[in-house]
Amino acid sequence: MDHEADAYRTDLMTITRFVLNEQSKYPESRGDFTILLSNIVLGCKFVCSAVNKAGLAKLIGLAGETNIQGEEQKKLDVLSNDVFVKALVSSGRTSVLVSEEDEEATFVESSKRGKYCVVFDPLDGSSNIDCGVSIGTIFGIYTMSHNDEPTTEDVLKPGNEMVAAGYCMYGSSCMLVLSTGTGVNGFTLDPSLGEFILTHPDIKIPKKGNIYSVNEGNAQNWDGPTTKYVEKCKFPKDGSPAKSLRYVGSMVADVHRTLLYGGIFLYPADKKSPNGKLRVLYEVFPMSFLMEQAGGQAFTGKKRALELVPEKIHERSPIFLGSYEDVEEIKALYAAED
């Protein structure tokens, strides 16, 4: 047994240790945020485990069938939603929860209430489960600005008022990417320890990338600026090499690659979806928050994404996010249209 190696393994920066270190910078902090985050992390571990078993569950006839207690086995996206709702409510630190899976917001009963509001997509890209493609959980956190009864108005705020955002990607490894407003850090789940370990400290997106990510199947319905931009990616007129196209169709996977390698992710409005397809609160805002914290940009075609003020909890928006210079190019094309 290699005791030296084992001793080294205990000196790892776990996500709990990392968040406690951050908390110690704020003497007035009571640890509420740390508790909330540890419950989100627990939810991510649970869903990661369930996702890893999804193929087997199907093989042995679990998904969608009734188990021995007479309970119907839940589909993974429904299960993930239940896991996160329960984890967030039981933290005792939340007041309002908005999930992609629930039509209405969830208001936590007064005895378990806290000062945070959490918006989340419990399993983004769940249609990709059966083919083993990376999927993930996306979340954003707001602070309650009053002590009155919570309402949906408490989450209908611009993205720049979020205090934290992140996603957990369930892929070849399970990775949690988090920002609390002071940069972006990536943690990878060590299955042997059951702990998220800091593996990607202070992630910075390259200023410019050579990858663009968009569903080209929608090209016939795009507006002028998007069409021109993608044309420019494929057939640059300035002698620079063409960009590579990479599109998974799972937002977490596409944004994760964009964050690490640079480039641009586009989900524009089109004739079929004039308001875009991605939801503002729990897809556009958290990913835009992370991009800006990593030195990139996020733009809706009209304005900075984080300045949007949603009117409904499931509102949609077009989004262009990624490397600073790449987003500048699409901004210039939209400005030229006006």
Side-chain angles (χ1 to χ4, degrees), residues 1-207:
M1 192 172 171
D2 189 343
H3 292 293
E4 206 171 317
D6 278 354
Y8 167 73
R9 281 163 59 102
T10 60
D11 192 33
L12 298 166
M13 179 61 81
T14 65
I15 193 162
T16 313
R17 186 171 158 196
F18 180 86
V19 174
L20 286 168
N21 282 1
E22 288 295 301
Q23 183 191 315
S24 66
K25 296 175 188 170
Y26 304 95
E28 73 287 1
S29 170
R30 300 209 329 266
D32 288 346
F33 182 74
T34 308
I35 292 166
L36 172 62
L37 212 60
S38 68
N39 280 50
I40 291 174
V41 167
L42 180 63
C44 291
K45 288 178 189 172
F46 191 101
V47 173
C48 177
S49 170
V51 166
N52 288 339
K53 293 183 200 138
L56 285 171
K58 196 162 185 189
L59 188 72
I60 55 178
L62 289 180
E65 293 193 4
T66 305
N67 69 10
I68 201 159
Q69 282 90 26
E71 299 164 335
E72 195 178 324
Q73 293 294 316
K74 290 175 179 166
K75 291 271 182 260
L76 257 182
D77 45 3
V78 180
L79 173 75
S80 306
N81 188 48
D82 288 353
V83 165
F84 278 102
V85 169
K86 287 189 174 120
L88 292 165
V89 171
S90 67
S91 73
R93 301 298 182 276
T94 58
S95 279
V96 187
L97 310 178
V98 172
S99 166
E100 192 261 350
E101 289 286 326
D102 296 327
E103 208 171 313
E104 303 292 333
T106 300
F107 299 104
V108 180
E109 59 181 275
S110 55
S111 63
K112 292 180 178 169
R113 250 177 232 161
K115 64 176 181 181
Y116 294 105
C117 305
V118 184
V119 292
F120 60 100
D121 185 342
L123 205 58
D124 185 73
S126 52
S127 61
N128 281 319
I129 292 167
D130 289 345
C131 58
V133 167
S134 295
I135 52 182
T137 299
I138 310 171
F139 61 91
I141 303 172
Y142 288 104
T143 311
M144 290 277 286
S145 51
H146 58 82
N147 294 320
D148 304 330
E149 202 65 18
T151 68
T152 48
E153 294 304 312
D154 294 310
V155 290
L156 295 176
K157 298 176 183 173
N160 55 16
E161 290 189 25
M162 278 186 173
V163 292
Y167 61 81
C168 187
M169 185 176 73
Y170 315 111
S172 53
S173 59
C174 178
M175 188 163 174
L176 197 147
V177 175
L178 173 72
S179 175
T180 54
T182 52
V184 182
N185 291 280
F187 303 83
T188 305
L189 184 64
D190 180 338
S192 65
L193 294 173
E195 287 280 7
F196 279 101
I197 309 298
L198 180 63
T199 50
H200 294 65
D202 198 21
I203 297 170
K204 290 280 178 248
I205 186 170
K207 274 271 176 275

Side-chain angles (χ1 to χ4, degrees), residues 236-256:
K237 300 211 167 38
D238 58 2
S240 60
K243 288 186 189 289
S244 295
L245 169 67
R246 297 282 183 273
Y247 187 70
V248 177
S250 175
M251 190 191 191
V252 171
D254 282 314
V255 171
H256 185 66

